[in-house]
Amino acid sequence: MYITDYELFEVPPRWLFLKLTTSDGTVGWGEPIVEGRSHTVVAAVEELLDNYLLGEDPTRIEDHWQSMYRGGFYRGGPVLMSAIAGVDQALWDIKGKQFGAPVHELLGGRARNRIRVYQWIGGDRPADVGDAALEKVDAGFSALKMNATAELRPIDTPATVNDAVDRIAAVRESVGDEVDIGVDFHGRVSKPMVRRLAAALEPYDPMFIEEPVLPEHNDSLAGIRQSTTIPIATGERMYSRWDFKEVLETDAVDLIQPDVSHAGGITEMKKIASMAEAYDVSVAPHCPLGPIALASCIQVDACTPNALIQEQSLDIHYNETSDVLDYLADPALFEYRDGFVDIPGGDGLGIEIDEEHVREQRGNVDWHNPVWRHDDGSVAEW
Protein backbone atom coordinates (compact mmCIF):
# COMPACT_ATOMS: atom_id res chain seq x y z
CA MET A 1 0.00 0.00 0.00
CA TYR A 2 1.29 3.45 -0.87
CA ILE A 3 -0.04 7.00 -1.00
CA THR A 4 -1.44 7.83 -4.41
CA ASP A 5 -3.37 11.09 -4.20
CA TYR A 6 -4.56 13.96 -2.05
CA GLU A 7 -7.10 16.78 -2.14
CA LEU A 8 -7.42 19.93 -0.06
CA PHE A 9 -10.74 21.59 0.72
CA GLU A 10 -11.07 25.10 2.13
CA VAL A 11 -14.49 25.10 3.78
CA PRO A 12 -16.48 27.49 5.97
CA PRO A 13 -16.36 28.88 8.50
CA ARG A 14 -12.52 28.91 8.45
CA TRP A 15 -11.25 25.36 8.08
CA LEU A 16 -9.04 23.34 5.73
CA PHE A 17 -9.58 19.61 5.22
CA LEU A 18 -7.11 17.14 3.67
CA LYS A 19 -8.19 13.92 2.00
CA LEU A 20 -5.36 11.41 1.59
CA THR A 21 -5.89 8.31 -0.60
CA THR A 22 -3.85 5.10 -0.82
CA SER A 23 -3.36 2.51 -3.57
CA ASP A 24 -5.94 0.16 -2.04
CA GLY A 25 -8.57 2.90 -1.82
CA THR A 26 -8.23 3.67 1.89
CA VAL A 27 -8.97 7.30 2.69
CA GLY A 28 -7.64 9.30 5.62
CA TRP A 29 -8.75 12.78 6.65
CA GLY A 30 -6.78 15.55 8.33
CA GLU A 31 -7.33 19.18 9.26
CA PRO A 32 -4.23 21.29 8.57
CA ILE A 33 -5.09 24.91 9.20
CA VAL A 34 -3.82 28.21 10.52
CA GLU A 35 -6.98 30.22 10.95
CA GLY A 36 -6.87 33.13 8.52
CA ARG A 37 -3.87 31.69 6.65
CA SER A 38 -5.48 28.79 4.80
CA HIS A 39 -3.93 29.60 1.40
CA THR A 40 -0.46 29.59 2.94
CA VAL A 41 -1.03 26.24 4.63
CA VAL A 42 -2.35 24.77 1.38
CA ALA A 43 1.00 25.54 -0.25
CA ALA A 44 2.89 24.00 2.70
CA VAL A 45 0.83 20.79 2.60
CA GLU A 46 1.34 20.48 -1.15
CA GLU A 47 5.10 20.81 -0.70
CA LEU A 48 5.16 18.14 2.01
CA LEU A 49 3.07 15.66 0.08
CA ASP A 50 4.75 16.21 -3.28
CA ASN A 51 8.27 16.10 -1.82
CA TYR A 52 7.99 13.44 0.87
CA LEU A 53 4.86 11.30 0.82
CA LEU A 54 3.38 10.56 -2.60
CA GLY A 55 4.29 7.00 -3.49
CA GLU A 56 5.33 6.16 0.09
CA ASP A 57 3.98 3.59 2.57
CA PRO A 58 1.50 5.51 4.78
CA THR A 59 2.04 3.29 7.81
CA ARG A 60 5.53 4.61 8.64
CA ILE A 61 4.09 7.56 10.51
CA GLU A 62 7.02 8.35 12.81
CA ASP A 63 9.51 8.23 9.94
CA HIS A 64 7.30 10.49 7.82
CA TRP A 65 6.94 12.93 10.72
CA GLN A 66 10.71 13.09 11.15
CA SER A 67 11.22 13.60 7.41
CA MET A 68 8.66 16.40 7.16
CA TYR A 69 9.97 18.15 10.28
CA ARG A 70 13.72 17.71 9.84
CA GLY A 71 13.99 17.37 6.07
CA GLY A 72 13.50 21.06 5.30
CA PHE A 73 16.29 22.34 7.61
CA TYR A 74 14.10 25.26 8.83
CA ARG A 75 11.82 23.86 11.50
CA GLY A 76 8.83 24.73 13.62
CA GLY A 77 6.43 27.63 13.44
CA PRO A 78 2.68 27.73 12.84
CA VAL A 79 2.60 27.10 9.08
CA LEU A 80 4.96 24.12 8.85
CA MET A 81 3.70 22.47 12.04
CA SER A 82 0.05 22.90 11.03
CA ALA A 83 0.77 21.39 7.61
CA ILE A 84 2.54 18.46 9.27
CA ALA A 85 -0.35 18.16 11.74
CA GLY A 86 -3.01 17.66 9.09
CA VAL A 87 -0.92 15.12 7.18
CA ASP A 88 -0.19 13.26 10.42
CA GLN A 89 -3.89 13.09 11.34
CA ALA A 90 -4.72 11.64 7.92
CA LEU A 91 -1.93 9.04 8.23
CA TRP A 92 -3.27 7.91 11.62
CA ASP A 93 -6.78 7.73 10.16
CA ILE A 94 -5.48 5.45 7.41
CA LYS A 95 -3.52 3.30 9.83
CA GLY A 96 -6.50 2.81 12.09
CA LYS A 97 -8.64 1.78 9.15
CA GLN A 98 -5.92 -0.60 7.96
CA PHE A 99 -5.86 -2.38 11.33
CA GLY A 100 -9.59 -2.09 11.98
CA ALA A 101 -9.10 -0.13 15.20
CA PRO A 102 -9.52 3.41 16.55
CA VAL A 103 -6.32 5.43 16.79
CA HIS A 104 -6.33 5.36 20.60
CA GLU A 105 -6.05 1.56 20.52
CA LEU A 106 -2.89 1.86 18.44
CA LEU A 107 -1.52 4.36 20.98
CA GLY A 108 -1.93 2.06 23.98
CA GLY A 109 -5.66 1.79 24.55
CA ARG A 110 -8.18 3.76 26.55
CA ALA A 111 -7.35 5.46 29.82
CA ARG A 112 -11.00 6.65 30.07
CA ASN A 113 -14.41 6.07 28.49
CA ARG A 114 -15.30 9.72 27.94
CA ILE A 115 -13.73 13.16 28.17
CA ARG A 116 -15.17 16.28 29.75
CA VAL A 117 -15.73 19.21 27.37
CA TYR A 118 -16.21 22.92 27.87
CA GLN A 119 -18.45 25.34 26.02
CA TRP A 120 -17.59 28.86 24.87
CA ILE A 121 -19.75 31.80 25.90
CA GLY A 122 -19.56 35.43 24.88
CA GLY A 123 -17.40 36.50 21.97
CA ASP A 124 -14.18 38.29 21.16
CA ARG A 125 -15.53 41.30 23.02
CA PRO A 126 -17.51 39.42 25.67
CA ALA A 127 -21.00 40.60 26.54
CA ASP A 128 -24.21 39.16 28.04
CA VAL A 129 -22.24 36.25 29.44
CA GLY A 130 -24.41 35.67 32.50
CA ASP A 131 -27.48 34.68 30.49
CA ALA A 132 -25.39 32.71 28.00
CA ALA A 133 -23.71 30.80 30.82
CA LEU A 134 -27.01 29.74 32.35
CA GLU A 135 -28.29 28.63 28.94
CA LYS A 136 -25.26 26.37 28.38
CA VAL A 137 -25.42 24.90 31.88
CA ASP A 138 -29.11 24.16 31.35
CA ALA A 139 -28.04 22.36 28.14
CA GLY A 140 -25.83 20.08 30.24
CA PHE A 141 -22.37 21.63 30.23
CA SER A 142 -20.46 21.76 33.50
CA ALA A 143 -17.53 23.86 32.28
CA LEU A 144 -17.49 27.13 30.35
CA LYS A 145 -14.87 29.42 28.86
CA MET A 146 -15.01 33.12 28.10
CA ASN A 147 -12.69 35.89 27.01
CA ALA A 148 -11.68 38.07 29.95
CA THR A 149 -11.56 41.37 28.11
CA ALA A 150 -11.62 43.11 24.79
CA GLU A 151 -8.41 44.93 23.79
CA LEU A 152 -6.36 46.39 26.63
CA ARG A 153 -3.76 49.12 26.78
CA PRO A 154 -0.42 48.10 28.35
CA ILE A 155 -1.54 49.86 31.52
CA ASP A 156 -5.30 50.37 31.53
CA THR A 157 -7.86 51.97 33.81
CA PRO A 158 -9.47 50.61 36.98
CA ALA A 159 -12.76 50.66 35.08
CA THR A 160 -11.38 48.13 32.60
CA VAL A 161 -10.46 45.77 35.42
CA ASN A 162 -13.86 46.28 37.02
CA ASP A 163 -15.58 45.44 33.73
CA ALA A 164 -13.75 42.10 33.58
CA VAL A 165 -14.66 41.38 37.20
CA ASP A 166 -18.32 42.24 36.59
CA ARG A 167 -18.47 39.77 33.69
CA ILE A 168 -17.05 36.80 35.56
CA ALA A 169 -19.10 37.74 38.63
CA ALA A 170 -22.24 37.62 36.49
CA VAL A 171 -21.31 34.16 35.23
CA ARG A 172 -20.49 32.86 38.69
CA GLU A 173 -23.76 34.24 40.06
CA SER A 174 -25.69 32.59 37.21
CA VAL A 175 -24.17 29.12 37.43
CA GLY A 176 -23.01 28.75 41.02
CA ASP A 177 -19.91 27.06 42.38
CA GLU A 178 -20.34 23.64 40.78
CA VAL A 179 -19.55 24.89 37.27
CA ASP A 180 -15.99 25.59 36.15
CA ILE A 181 -15.19 28.85 34.35
CA GLY A 182 -12.06 29.18 32.24
CA VAL A 183 -11.00 32.76 31.52
CA ASP A 184 -9.04 33.40 28.33
CA PHE A 185 -6.68 36.39 28.40
CA HIS A 186 -5.91 35.60 24.71
CA GLY A 187 -2.46 37.16 24.94
CA ARG A 188 -4.15 40.59 25.06
CA VAL A 189 -2.89 41.43 28.51
CA SER A 190 0.47 42.99 29.42
CA LYS A 191 2.48 41.77 32.39
CA PRO A 192 1.42 44.57 34.78
CA MET A 193 -2.23 44.14 33.82
CA VAL A 194 -2.04 40.35 34.32
CA ARG A 195 -1.17 40.87 37.97
CA ARG A 196 -4.04 43.30 38.49
CA LEU A 197 -6.60 41.19 36.64
CA ALA A 198 -5.59 37.92 38.29
CA ALA A 199 -5.84 39.45 41.75
CA ALA A 200 -9.25 40.90 40.95
CA LEU A 201 -10.59 37.62 39.51
CA GLU A 202 -9.35 35.32 42.29
CA PRO A 203 -12.49 35.63 44.46
CA TYR A 204 -14.50 34.03 41.62
CA ASP A 205 -12.29 30.91 41.43
CA PRO A 206 -11.67 30.58 37.69
CA MET A 207 -10.75 27.10 36.53
CA PHE A 208 -7.72 28.68 34.83
CA ILE A 209 -6.50 31.82 33.15
CA GLU A 210 -5.44 31.06 29.60
CA GLU A 211 -2.59 32.69 27.71
CA PRO A 212 -2.09 35.36 30.37
CA VAL A 213 0.74 36.71 28.23
CA LEU A 214 1.85 36.16 24.66
CA PRO A 215 4.06 33.10 24.11
CA GLU A 216 6.93 35.48 23.35
CA HIS A 217 6.82 36.32 27.07
CA ASN A 218 6.64 32.77 28.45
CA ASP A 219 9.70 33.59 30.53
CA SER A 220 7.40 35.65 32.76
CA LEU A 221 4.90 32.85 33.41
CA ALA A 222 6.68 31.37 36.43
CA GLY A 223 6.51 34.71 38.22
CA ILE A 224 2.86 35.16 37.26
CA ARG A 225 2.07 31.67 38.55
CA GLN A 226 3.72 32.46 41.89
CA SER A 227 1.61 35.62 42.24
CA THR A 228 -1.81 33.95 42.02
CA THR A 229 -3.68 30.85 43.15
CA ILE A 230 -5.50 30.62 39.80
CA PRO A 231 -4.11 27.79 37.63
CA ILE A 232 -2.14 29.03 34.61
CA ALA A 233 -2.86 27.60 31.14
CA THR A 234 -1.14 28.21 27.81
CA GLY A 235 -0.04 26.50 24.64
CA GLU A 236 -2.28 27.17 21.65
CA ARG A 237 0.53 29.16 19.98
CA MET A 238 3.26 26.67 20.84
CA TYR A 239 4.01 24.18 18.10
CA SER A 240 6.27 21.37 19.32
CA ARG A 241 7.61 19.63 22.41
CA TRP A 242 10.63 21.93 22.21
CA ASP A 243 8.35 24.96 22.60
CA PHE A 244 6.75 23.40 25.68
CA LYS A 245 10.05 22.33 27.24
CA GLU A 246 10.80 25.71 28.86
CA VAL A 247 7.42 26.18 30.56
CA LEU A 248 7.54 22.65 31.94
CA GLU A 249 11.12 22.84 33.19
CA THR A 250 10.53 26.19 34.91
CA ASP A 251 7.33 25.07 36.69
CA ALA A 252 5.49 27.90 34.94
CA VAL A 253 2.13 26.29 34.08
CA ASP A 254 -0.56 24.06 35.51
CA LEU A 255 -2.34 23.21 32.28
CA ILE A 256 -1.04 23.04 28.70
CA GLN A 257 -3.21 23.48 25.62
CA PRO A 258 -1.48 22.11 22.52
CA ASP A 259 -3.57 22.22 19.34
CA VAL A 260 -3.60 18.98 17.34
CA SER A 261 -3.92 20.98 14.11
CA HIS A 262 -1.05 23.35 14.97
CA ALA A 263 1.38 21.33 17.11
CA GLY A 264 2.44 18.60 14.72
CA GLY A 265 -0.64 16.39 14.84
CA ILE A 266 -1.46 13.29 16.87
CA THR A 267 2.14 12.07 16.91
CA GLU A 268 3.51 15.25 18.46
CA MET A 269 0.59 16.01 20.77
CA LYS A 270 0.88 12.60 22.40
CA LYS A 271 4.57 13.25 23.04
CA ILE A 272 3.86 16.72 24.45
CA ALA A 273 1.21 15.27 26.77
CA SER A 274 3.61 12.57 28.01
CA MET A 275 6.24 15.23 28.75
CA ALA A 276 3.68 17.19 30.74
CA GLU A 277 2.66 14.13 32.74
CA ALA A 278 6.21 13.90 34.11
CA TYR A 279 5.80 17.43 35.52
CA ASP A 280 2.31 16.86 37.00
CA VAL A 281 0.82 19.18 34.38
CA SER A 282 -2.58 18.48 32.88
CA VAL A 283 -3.56 18.73 29.22
CA ALA A 284 -6.62 20.50 27.79
CA PRO A 285 -6.19 20.40 24.01
CA HIS A 286 -7.02 23.61 22.18
CA CYS A 287 -9.63 23.05 19.46
CA PRO A 288 -11.85 25.89 18.24
CA LEU A 289 -11.81 24.06 14.89
CA GLY A 290 -13.66 21.47 12.85
CA PRO A 291 -14.69 17.85 13.28
CA ILE A 292 -11.44 16.23 12.11
CA ALA A 293 -9.37 18.21 14.58
CA LEU A 294 -11.85 17.44 17.36
CA ALA A 295 -11.86 13.72 16.53
CA SER A 296 -8.05 13.74 16.54
CA CYS A 297 -8.00 15.44 19.95
CA ILE A 298 -10.43 12.96 21.43
CA GLN A 299 -8.33 10.04 20.18
CA VAL A 300 -5.36 11.46 22.10
CA ASP A 301 -7.51 12.32 25.14
CA ALA A 302 -8.71 8.73 25.25
CA CYS A 303 -5.25 7.30 25.89
CA THR A 304 -3.71 10.20 27.85
CA PRO A 305 -3.93 9.89 31.64
CA ASN A 306 -3.33 13.61 32.27
CA ALA A 307 -5.98 14.85 29.81
CA LEU A 308 -8.29 17.05 31.89
CA ILE A 309 -10.85 18.59 29.56
CA GLN A 310 -11.41 19.16 25.84
CA GLU A 311 -12.21 22.38 24.01
CA GLN A 312 -14.78 22.08 21.22
CA SER A 313 -16.26 24.68 18.90
CA LEU A 314 -19.97 23.89 18.72
CA ASP A 315 -21.82 27.23 18.60
CA ILE A 316 -18.60 29.20 19.04
CA HIS A 317 -18.83 32.78 17.81
CA TYR A 318 -16.66 32.06 14.75
CA ASN A 319 -19.04 29.40 13.39
CA GLU A 320 -21.64 31.72 11.89
CA THR A 321 -22.00 29.97 8.51
CA SER A 322 -21.13 26.32 9.30
CA ASP A 323 -20.61 24.28 12.43
CA VAL A 324 -18.79 21.16 13.55
CA LEU A 325 -21.61 18.69 13.04
CA ASP A 326 -22.45 19.87 9.51
CA TYR A 327 -19.57 17.91 7.96
CA LEU A 328 -20.23 14.57 9.69
CA ALA A 329 -22.20 11.70 8.21
CA ASP A 330 -23.27 10.85 11.78
CA PRO A 331 -23.45 13.98 13.97
CA ALA A 332 -24.51 11.87 16.96
CA LEU A 333 -20.86 10.88 17.47
CA PHE A 334 -20.29 14.25 19.14
CA GLU A 335 -23.39 14.21 21.32
CA TYR A 336 -22.52 15.87 24.62
CA ARG A 337 -24.09 14.36 27.73
CA ASP A 338 -23.66 15.71 31.26
CA GLY A 339 -20.72 17.81 30.07
CA PHE A 340 -18.86 14.87 28.52
CA VAL A 341 -18.42 13.30 25.09
CA ASP A 342 -17.92 9.57 24.59
CA ILE A 343 -14.78 8.23 22.94
CA PRO A 344 -15.62 7.15 19.35
CA GLY A 345 -15.08 3.45 18.77
CA GLY A 346 -14.90 3.47 14.98
CA ASP A 347 -11.76 2.75 13.00
CA GLY A 348 -9.13 5.44 12.56
CA LEU A 349 -10.31 8.80 13.84
CA GLY A 350 -13.73 7.27 14.49
CA ILE A 351 -15.71 9.63 12.26
CA GLU A 352 -17.07 9.55 8.73
CA ILE A 353 -16.83 12.80 6.81
CA ASP A 354 -19.78 13.76 4.61
CA GLU A 355 -17.65 14.23 1.50
CA GLU A 356 -20.55 15.37 -0.63
CA HIS A 357 -21.21 18.24 1.76
CA VAL A 358 -17.49 19.08 1.88
CA ARG A 359 -17.42 19.35 -1.91
CA GLU A 360 -20.55 21.50 -1.92
CA GLN A 361 -19.00 23.92 0.58
CA ARG A 362 -15.52 23.97 -0.95
CA GLY A 363 -14.12 27.43 -1.57
CA ASN A 364 -16.84 29.34 0.30
CA VAL A 365 -14.44 30.73 2.88
CA ASP A 366 -12.49 33.94 3.33
CA TRP A 367 -11.98 34.29 7.09
CA HIS A 368 -9.37 36.59 8.59
CA ASN A 369 -9.19 37.80 12.15
CA PRO A 370 -9.79 41.52 12.61
CA VAL A 371 -6.99 43.98 13.24
CA TRP A 372 -7.91 45.86 16.40
CA ARG A 373 -6.63 49.31 17.27
CA HIS A 374 -6.45 51.34 20.43
CA ASP A 375 -8.16 54.72 20.65
CA ASP A 376 -4.87 56.39 19.64
CA GLY A 377 -4.75 54.41 16.40
CA SER A 378 -1.99 51.96 17.40
CA VAL A 379 -2.44 48.22 16.79
CA ALA A 380 -3.91 46.21 19.68
CA GLU A 381 -3.71 42.49 20.38
CA TRP A 382 -6.76 40.65 19.09
Side-chain angles (χ1 to χ4, degrees):
M1 183 170 63
Y2 55 92
I3 299 168
T4 58
D5 198 11
Y6 67 89
E7 285 187 88
L8 289 155
F9 305 88
E10 294 181 72
V11 296
R14 54 179 192 158
W15 302 331
L16 176 65
F17 295 167
L18 166 66
K19 177 187 177 184
L20 206 58
T21 305
T22 68
S23 54
D24 70 349
T26 305
V27 169
W29 289 89
E31 193 169 332
I33 185 60
V34 176
E35 300 93 301
R37 297 287 185 268
S38 58
H39 299 343
T40 310
V41 180
V42 164
V45 173
E46 290 173 344
E47 286 183 336
L48 292 176
L49 289 167
D50 292 343
N51 291 334
Y52 298 105
L53 289 183
L54 284 180
E56 298 294 327
D57 176 357
T59 64
R60 298 184 59 184
I61 297 175
E62 181 63 41
D63 187 63
H64 294 321
W65 198 98
Q66 295 291 331
S67 296
M68 290 186 291
Y69 180 78
R70 296 164 61 190
F73 187 75
Y74 296 100
R75 304 172 183 178
V79 173
L80 175 62
M81 298 307 288
S82 298
I84 290 174
V87 174
D88 182 82
Q89 293 164 16
L91 292 174
W92 278 108
D93 196 23
I94 288 169
K95 190 154 192 167
K97 291 171 180 175
Q98 180 194 20
F99 283 96
V103 168
H104 64 262
E105 290 292 347
L106 305 181
L107 293 173
R110 293 188 185 193
R112 57 175 47 82
N113 297 321
R114 58 182 188 165
I115 183 72
R116 194 181 182 202
V117 295
Y118 63 75
Q119 176 67 37
W120 266 94
I121 56 173
D124 283 332
R125 291 185 171 100
D128 302 323
V129 286
D131 291 342
L134 188 57
E135 177 185 327
K136 298 305 181 183
V137 170
D138 287 345
F141 291 96
S142 63
L144 310 169
K145 190 168 84 170
M146 57 184 282
N147 278 311
T149 70
E151 59 270 45
L152 285 183
R153 290 190 293 267
I155 298 179
D156 219 313
T157 63
T160 303
V161 176
N162 291 336
D163 286 345
V165 170
D166 289 346
R167 280 189 291 271
I168 193 169
V171 175
R172 181 59 74 200
E173 183 177 351
S174 292
V175 302
D177 291 337
E178 295 187 0
V179 173
D180 282 315
I181 307 167
V183 181
D184 192 352
F185 282 27
H186 216 253
R188 297 172 182 166
V189 184
S190 66
K191 288 187 283 186
M193 291 303 296
V194 167
R195 295 195 297 270
R196 289 171 60 186
L197 277 170
L201 297 181
E202 273 198 347
Y204 303 96
D205 290 323
M207 185 182 189
F208 54 80
I209 52 175
E210 176 176 338
E211 251 194 350
V213 291
L214 291 165
E216 294 94 312
H217 304 308
N218 278 347
D219 57 332
S220 68
L221 284 177
I224 292 169
R225 183 170 181 264
Q226 290 171 6
S227 72
T228 181
T229 62
I230 304 172
I232 303 297
T234 196
E236 69 184 76
R237 287 185 275 188
M238 299 163 65
Y239 309 111
S240 71
R241 73 201 93 144
W242 297 281
D243 288 346
F244 282 91
K245 182 170 66 170
E246 178 188 0
V247 298
L248 294 172
E249 288 179 344
T250 56
D251 197 24
V253 293
D254 303 284
L255 184 66
I256 59 167
Q257 299 166 306
D259 188 309
V260 77
S261 282
H262 299 326
I266 291 169
T267 298
E268 186 69 356
M269 192 161 83
K270 180 60 175 168
K271 293 176 181 179
I272 291 167
S274 294
M275 284 176 58
E277 184 184 6
Y279 290 89
D280 195 25
V281 171
S282 298
V283 180
H286 180 258
C287 191
L289 295 170
I292 303 168
L294 180 58
S296 298
C297 284
I298 293 173
Q299 292 296 330
V300 177
D301 294 331
C303 57
T304 300
N306 55 324
L308 177 70
I309 197 166
Q310 177 61 56
E311 181 175 26
Q312 53 82 37
S313 75
L314 186 66
D315 295 330
I316 198 172
H317 45 286
Y318 305 119
N319 296 358
E320 294 180 350
T321 57
S322 292
D323 217 325
V324 176
L325 306 182
D326 297 344
Y327 293 99
L328 293 176
D330 180 11
L333 281 172
F334 292 152
E335 184 175 338
Y336 305 124
R337 301 184 188 89
D338 303 321
F340 289 81
V341 64
D342 291 337
I343 307 300
D347 297 345
L349 296 180
I351 59 172
E352 181 182 348
I353 294 296
D354 183 347
E355 186 172 339
E356 181 179 351
H357 184 68
V358 170
R359 292 187 180 279
E360 290 172 353
Q361 295 297 309
R362 184 181 200 168
N364 297 328
V365 58
D366 186 26
W367 187 89
H368 301 280
N369 65 266
V371 176
W372 285 359
R373 293 185 180 272
H374 295 297
D375 52 10
D376 65 358
S378 61
V379 174
E381 294 294 338
W382 170 66

